[in-house]
């Protein structure tokens, strides 16, 4: 039975491996589990440290979220199979509209990591801005009577930030696994299973 630190980390690692990696990538997900775990714990730990008043809000820095998003884009596109690239450069649509679809698909390669970058940055920055604004009301009104209200709301936002810290780590990791899964998915697997089933049915 896990004890101490292991009892805390093991459920999280199992969750990322089984629910996020296997659930979104499927076959061969073990290859990407180390990267997904790195992303999950890096974001989670920095989110938590960013809540400490004397700490640095690293995930609230767009340069940090940019690096994570670019890393996800590289992992996704390097591991993309022929189905992934053919969908981009040889869309399943009439050739007459290829000049429109192909640029859209290429732009889509960049918009996915861009959405990851902005989502994490905006969510982690918003909470800190709200807390600063609430505390700032004390100095704006220059009254001690507003202090209990401001502090109470600021504490409520801080508690909410604890949930957001875990949630944003999960969302970023889940979307990363989803993007990787769409790039490595073998669309012929379903067809193969269907063919086997048809043979069994015809045999009966």
């Amino acid at each position: 039975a896990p004890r101490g630190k292991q009892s805390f980390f093991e459920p999280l690692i199992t969750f990322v491996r089984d629910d996020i990696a296997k659930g979104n990538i499927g076959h061969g997900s073990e290859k990407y589990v180390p990267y997904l775990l790195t992303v999950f714990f890096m974001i989670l730990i920095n989110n938590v440290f960013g809540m400490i008043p004397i700490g640095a809000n690293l995930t609230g820095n767009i340069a940090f979220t940019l690096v994570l998003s670019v890393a996800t884009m590289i992992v996704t596109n390097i591991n993309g199979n022929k189905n992934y690239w053919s969908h981009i450069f040889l869309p399943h649509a009439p050739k007459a509209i290829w000049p429109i679809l192909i640029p859209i698909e290429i732009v889509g390669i960049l918009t996915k990591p861009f959405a990851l970058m902005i989502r994490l940055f905006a969510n982690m920055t918003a909470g800190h801005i709200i807390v600063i604004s609430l505390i700032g009301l004390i100095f704006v009104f220059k009254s001690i009577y507003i202090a209990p209200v401001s502090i109470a709301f600021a504490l409520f936002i801080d508690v909410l930030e604890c949930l957001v810290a875990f949630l944003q780590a999960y969302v970023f990791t889940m979307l990363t696994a989803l993007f990787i899964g769409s790039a490595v998915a073998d669309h012929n697997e379903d067809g193969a299973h269907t063919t086997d089933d048809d043979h069994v049915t015809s045999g009966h």
Side-chain angles (χ1 to χ4, degrees):
R3 297 179 181 178
K5 296 178 182 178
Q6 187 180 354
S7 63
F8 174 77
F9 286 106
E10 186 172 319
L12 292 176
I13 293 172
T14 304
F15 171 72
V16 172
R17 184 193 65 189
D18 296 341
D19 292 355
I20 297 179
K22 289 183 179 179
N24 293 286
I25 301 175
H27 179 70
S29 61
E30 296 82 6
K31 177 182 177 181
Y32 307 99
V33 169
Y35 174 69
L36 295 176
L37 284 172
T38 301
V39 169
F40 179 80
F41 282 107
M42 183 179 292
I43 294 174
L44 177 60
I45 291 171
N46 282 293
N47 284 352
V48 172
F49 277 116
M51 295 172 59
I52 302 173
I54 59 173
N57 182 22
L58 190 58
T59 47
N61 186 335
I62 199 166
F64 177 80
T65 60
L66 171 64
V67 171
L68 287 179
S69 302
V70 169
T72 292
M73 182 180 68
I74 292 172
V75 171
T76 300
N77 290 288
I78 284 180
N79 292 282
N81 57 24
K82 62 180 182 181
N83 293 319
Y84 172 74
W85 291 110
S86 65
H87 178 74
I88 294 173
F89 294 104
L90 299 171
H92 299 292
K95 292 185 179 181
I97 60 174
W98 279 15
I100 299 174
L101 288 180
I102 292 176
I104 292 174
E105 293 291 343
I106 293 174
V107 170
I109 296 175
L110 301 175
T111 56
K112 289 177 181 178
F114 179 78
L116 284 178
M117 175 186 71
I118 295 298
R119 179 183 287 107
L120 179 59
F121 166 73
N123 280 284
M124 297 315 301
T125 304
H128 291 74
I129 292 175
I130 293 173
V131 171
I132 292 172
S133 300
L134 289 170
I135 298 299
L137 291 175
I138 300 173
F139 302 96
V140 170
F141 289 99
K142 297 180 181 180
S143 173
I144 195 173
Y145 299 106
I146 198 69
V149 178
S150 295
I151 292 174
F153 277 102
L155 287 174
F156 172 75
I157 297 298
D158 276 334
V159 172
L160 194 61
E161 281 278 280
C162 294
L163 175 62
V164 173
F166 281 89
L167 185 61
Q168 289 305 313
Y170 164 72
V171 169
F172 193 101
T173 309
M174 188 269 292
L175 289 176
T176 296
L178 193 64
F179 295 155
I180 295 173
S182 65
V184 303
D186 187 1
H187 298 290
N188 293 324
E189 287 184 357
D190 296 335
H193 291 313
T194 303
T195 304
D196 294 338
D197 293 340
D198 291 341
H199 287 315
V200 172
T201 306
S202 60
H204 285 303

